[in-house]
PDB file of all heavy atoms in Angstrom:
ATOM      1  N   GLU A  39     -16.194  18.933   6.679  1.00  0.00           N
ATOM      2  CA  GLU A  39     -17.201  19.435   5.697  1.00  0.00           C
ATOM      3  C   GLU A  39     -18.635  19.232   6.246  1.00  0.00           C
ATOM      4  O   GLU A  39     -19.463  20.106   6.182  1.00  0.00           O
ATOM      5  CB  GLU A  39     -17.030  18.701   4.412  1.00  0.00           C
ATOM      6  CG  GLU A  39     -17.964  19.231   3.251  1.00  0.00           C
ATOM      7  CD  GLU A  39     -17.691  18.409   2.109  1.00  0.00           C
ATOM      8  OE1 GLU A  39     -16.440  18.195   1.681  1.00  0.00           O
ATOM      9  OE2 GLU A  39     -18.698  18.029   1.414  1.00  0.00           O
ATOM     10  N   MET A  40     -18.843  18.119   6.818  1.00  0.00           N
ATOM     11  CA  MET A  40     -20.155  17.735   7.369  1.00  0.00           C
ATOM     12  C   MET A  40     -20.524  18.700   8.608  1.00  0.00           C
ATOM     13  O   MET A  40     -21.533  19.230   8.738  1.00  0.00           O
ATOM     14  CB  MET A  40     -20.382  16.190   7.866  1.00  0.00           C
ATOM     15  CG  MET A  40     -21.624  15.848   8.236  1.00  0.00           C
ATOM     16  SD  MET A  40     -22.216  16.039   9.939  1.00  0.00           S
ATOM     17  CE  MET A  40     -20.909  15.336  10.850  1.00  0.00           C
ATOM     18  N   LEU A  41     -19.448  18.890   9.450  1.00  0.00           N
ATOM     19  CA  LEU A  41     -19.665  19.763  10.640  1.00  0.00           C
ATOM     20  C   LEU A  41     -19.957  21.173  10.231  1.00  0.00           C
ATOM     21  O   LEU A  41     -20.699  21.926  10.859  1.00  0.00           O
ATOM     22  CB  LEU A  41     -18.433  19.679  11.564  1.00  0.00           C
ATOM     23  CG  LEU A  41     -18.336  18.306  12.343  1.00  0.00           C
ATOM     24  CD1 LEU A  41     -17.060  18.438  13.170  1.00  0.00           C
ATOM     25  CD2 LEU A  41     -19.499  18.002  13.133  1.00  0.00           C
ATOM     26  N   GLY A  42     -19.389  21.549   9.069  1.00  0.00           N
ATOM     27  CA  GLY A  42     -19.599  22.938   8.553  1.00  0.00           C
ATOM     28  C   GLY A  42     -21.054  23.292   8.257  1.00  0.00           C
ATOM     29  O   GLY A  42     -21.438  24.371   8.130  1.00  0.00           O
ATOM     30  N   LYS A  43     -21.901  22.199   7.982  1.00  0.00           N
ATOM     31  CA  LYS A  43     -23.224  22.394   7.662  1.00  0.00           C
ATOM     32  C   LYS A  43     -24.061  22.888   8.897  1.00  0.00           C
ATOM     33  O   LYS A  43     -25.198  23.296   8.818  1.00  0.00           O
ATOM     34  CB  LYS A  43     -23.840  21.141   7.131  1.00  0.00           C
ATOM     35  CG  LYS A  43     -23.284  20.720   5.929  1.00  0.00           C
ATOM     36  CD  LYS A  43     -23.847  19.459   5.282  1.00  0.00           C
ATOM     37  CE  LYS A  43     -23.263  18.985   3.982  1.00  0.00           C
ATOM     38  NZ  LYS A  43     -23.736  17.874   3.445  1.00  0.00           N
ATOM     39  N   PHE A  44     -23.449  22.818  10.176  1.00  0.00           N
ATOM     40  CA  PHE A  44     -24.164  23.113  11.333  1.00  0.00           C
ATOM     41  C   PHE A  44     -23.685  24.420  12.005  1.00  0.00           C
ATOM     42  O   PHE A  44     -23.952  24.775  13.086  1.00  0.00           O
ATOM     43  CB  PHE A  44     -23.981  21.968  12.383  1.00  0.00           C
ATOM     44  CG  PHE A  44     -24.562  20.789  11.884  1.00  0.00           C
ATOM     45  CD1 PHE A  44     -23.799  19.726  11.425  1.00  0.00           C
ATOM     46  CD2 PHE A  44     -25.960  20.497  11.978  1.00  0.00           C
ATOM     47  CE1 PHE A  44     -24.392  18.484  10.950  1.00  0.00           C
ATOM     48  CE2 PHE A  44     -26.591  19.394  11.636  1.00  0.00           C
ATOM     49  CZ  PHE A  44     -25.802  18.357  10.975  1.00  0.00           C
ATOM     50  N   VAL A  45     -22.812  25.201  11.246  1.00  0.00           N
ATOM     51  CA  VAL A  45     -22.362  26.557  11.703  1.00  0.00           C
ATOM     52  C   VAL A  45     -22.564  27.565  10.686  1.00  0.00           C
ATOM     53  O   VAL A  45     -22.487  27.240   9.441  1.00  0.00           O
ATOM     54  CB  VAL A  45     -20.959  26.459  12.153  1.00  0.00           C
ATOM     55  CG1 VAL A  45     -20.775  25.638  13.356  1.00  0.00           C
ATOM     56  CG2 VAL A  45     -20.009  26.030  11.010  1.00  0.00           C
ATOM     57  N   GLU A  46     -22.710  28.845  11.024  1.00  0.00           N
ATOM     58  CA  GLU A  46     -22.832  29.888  10.099  1.00  0.00           C
ATOM     59  C   GLU A  46     -21.470  30.270   9.619  1.00  0.00           C
ATOM     60  O   GLU A  46     -20.475  29.821  10.272  1.00  0.00           O
ATOM     61  CB  GLU A  46     -23.578  31.086  10.775  1.00  0.00           C
ATOM     62  CG  GLU A  46     -25.070  30.722  11.098  1.00  0.00           C
ATOM     63  CD  GLU A  46     -25.817  31.881  11.752  1.00  0.00           C
ATOM     64  OE1 GLU A  46     -25.256  32.922  11.714  1.00  0.00           O
ATOM     65  OE2 GLU A  46     -26.905  31.598  12.341  1.00  0.00           O
ATOM     66  N   GLY A  49     -18.988  31.325  12.292  1.00  0.00           N
ATOM     67  CA  GLY A  49     -18.632  30.397  13.275  1.00  0.00           C
ATOM     68  C   GLY A  49     -19.760  30.121  14.328  1.00  0.00           C
ATOM     69  O   GLY A  49     -19.489  29.288  15.116  1.00  0.00           O
ATOM     70  N   LYS A  50     -20.691  31.034  14.293  1.00  0.00           N
ATOM     71  CA  LYS A  50     -21.854  30.720  15.250  1.00  0.00           C
ATOM     72  C   LYS A  50     -22.646  29.522  14.901  1.00  0.00           C
ATOM     73  O   LYS A  50     -23.006  29.317  13.759  1.00  0.00           O
ATOM     74  CB  LYS A  50     -22.731  31.990  15.179  1.00  0.00           C
ATOM     75  CG  LYS A  50     -23.780  32.026  16.203  1.00  0.00           C
ATOM     76  CD  LYS A  50     -24.609  33.244  16.042  1.00  0.00           C
ATOM     77  CE  LYS A  50     -25.958  33.139  16.991  1.00  0.00           C
ATOM     78  NZ  LYS A  50     -26.873  34.266  16.836  1.00  0.00           N
ATOM     79  N   PRO A  51     -22.948  28.620  15.866  1.00  0.00           N
ATOM     80  CA  PRO A  51     -23.643  27.431  15.622  1.00  0.00           C
ATOM     81  C   PRO A  51     -25.020  27.733  15.263  1.00  0.00           C
ATOM     82  O   PRO A  51     -25.687  28.645  15.727  1.00  0.00           O
ATOM     83  CB  PRO A  51     -23.530  26.591  16.895  1.00  0.00           C
ATOM     84  CG  PRO A  51     -23.215  27.655  17.981  1.00  0.00           C
ATOM     85  CD  PRO A  51     -22.511  28.691  17.328  1.00  0.00           C
ATOM     86  N   LEU A  52     -25.559  26.930  14.315  1.00  0.00           N
ATOM     87  CA  LEU A  52     -27.099  26.971  14.011  1.00  0.00           C
ATOM     88  C   LEU A  52     -27.752  26.301  15.079  1.00  0.00           C
ATOM     89  O   LEU A  52     -27.379  25.289  15.669  1.00  0.00           O
ATOM     90  CB  LEU A  52     -27.268  26.291  12.651  1.00  0.00           C
ATOM     91  CG  LEU A  52     -26.662  26.827  11.419  1.00  0.00           C
ATOM     92  CD1 LEU A  52     -26.857  25.843  10.228  1.00  0.00           C
ATOM     93  CD2 LEU A  52     -27.249  28.156  11.096  1.00  0.00           C
ATOM     94  N   THR A  53     -28.835  26.872  15.505  1.00  0.00           N
ATOM     95  CA  THR A  53     -29.730  26.521  16.605  1.00  0.00           C
ATOM     96  C   THR A  53     -31.110  26.269  16.338  1.00  0.00           C
ATOM     97  O   THR A  53     -31.605  26.700  15.266  1.00  0.00           O
ATOM     98  CB  THR A  53     -29.580  27.432  17.796  1.00  0.00           C
ATOM     99  OG1 THR A  53     -30.113  28.701  17.479  1.00  0.00           O
ATOM    100  CG2 THR A  53     -28.165  27.659  18.272  1.00  0.00           C
ATOM    101  N   PRO A  66     -27.987  23.982  20.001  1.00  0.00           N
ATOM    102  CA  PRO A  66     -27.234  23.914  18.707  1.00  0.00           C
ATOM    103  C   PRO A  66     -27.653  22.615  18.042  1.00  0.00           C
ATOM    104  O   PRO A  66     -27.785  21.525  18.556  1.00  0.00           O
ATOM    105  CB  PRO A  66     -25.727  23.760  19.284  1.00  0.00           C
ATOM    106  CG  PRO A  66     -25.800  24.356  20.592  1.00  0.00           C
ATOM    107  CD  PRO A  66     -27.116  24.043  21.186  1.00  0.00           C
ATOM    108  N   LEU A  67     -27.822  22.751  16.685  1.00  0.00           N
ATOM    109  CA  LEU A  67     -28.263  21.601  15.853  1.00  0.00           C
ATOM    110  C   LEU A  67     -27.217  20.511  15.933  1.00  0.00           C
ATOM    111  O   LEU A  67     -27.509  19.326  15.853  1.00  0.00           O
ATOM    112  CB  LEU A  67     -28.466  21.967  14.472  1.00  0.00           C
ATOM    113  CG  LEU A  67     -29.742  22.934  14.237  1.00  0.00           C
ATOM    114  CD1 LEU A  67     -29.796  23.295  12.680  1.00  0.00           C
ATOM    115  CD2 LEU A  67     -30.997  22.190  14.667  1.00  0.00           C
ATOM    116  N   MET A  68     -25.937  20.929  16.040  1.00  0.00           N
ATOM    117  CA  MET A  68     -24.891  19.895  16.120  1.00  0.00           C
ATOM    118  C   MET A  68     -25.084  18.958  17.162  1.00  0.00           C
ATOM    119  O   MET A  68     -24.627  17.741  17.094  1.00  0.00           O
ATOM    120  CB  MET A  68     -23.495  20.527  16.168  1.00  0.00           C
ATOM    121  CG  MET A  68     -22.325  19.687  15.903  1.00  0.00           C
ATOM    122  SD  MET A  68     -20.733  20.641  16.110  1.00  0.00           S
ATOM    123  CE  MET A  68     -20.976  22.020  14.943  1.00  0.00           C
ATOM    124  N   SER A  69     -25.610  19.380  18.265  1.00  0.00           N
ATOM    125  CA  SER A  69     -25.726  18.446  19.516  1.00  0.00           C
ATOM    126  C   SER A  69     -26.874  17.487  19.300  1.00  0.00           C
ATOM    127  O   SER A  69     -27.036  16.577  19.910  1.00  0.00           O
ATOM    128  CB  SER A  69     -25.964  19.310  20.707  1.00  0.00           C
ATOM    129  OG  SER A  69     -27.241  19.941  20.657  1.00  0.00           O
ATOM    130  N   VAL A  71     -27.442  15.837  16.325  1.00  0.00           N
ATOM    131  CA  VAL A  71     -26.998  14.949  15.330  1.00  0.00           C
ATOM    132  C   VAL A  71     -25.991  13.920  15.827  1.00  0.00           C
ATOM    133  O   VAL A  71     -25.059  14.353  16.480  1.00  0.00           O
ATOM    134  CB  VAL A  71     -26.397  15.539  14.101  1.00  0.00           C
ATOM    135  CG1 VAL A  71     -25.949  14.673  13.019  1.00  0.00           C
ATOM    136  CG2 VAL A  71     -27.419  16.607  13.502  1.00  0.00           C
ATOM    137  N   GLN A  73     -22.784  11.986  16.268  1.00  0.00           N
ATOM    138  CA  GLN A  73     -21.433  12.268  15.825  1.00  0.00           C
ATOM    139  C   GLN A  73     -20.626  10.966  15.627  1.00  0.00           C
ATOM    140  O   GLN A  73     -20.586  10.057  16.546  1.00  0.00           O
ATOM    141  CB  GLN A  73     -20.622  13.192  16.850  1.00  0.00           C
ATOM    142  CG  GLN A  73     -21.252  14.525  17.097  1.00  0.00           C
ATOM    143  CD  GLN A  73     -21.425  15.347  15.771  1.00  0.00           C
ATOM    144  OE1 GLN A  73     -20.399  15.416  15.067  1.00  0.00           O
ATOM    145  NE2 GLN A  73     -22.580  15.968  15.662  1.00  0.00           N
TER     146      GLN A  73
END
Side-chain angles (χ1 to χ4, degrees):
E39 182 181 316
M40 189 273 306
L41 291 177
K43 295 178 182 180
F44 297 101
V45 294
E46 296 179 13
K50 182 180 174 188
L52 296 173
T53 60
L67 291 178
M68 190 180 305
S69 67
V71 177
Q73 300 298 317

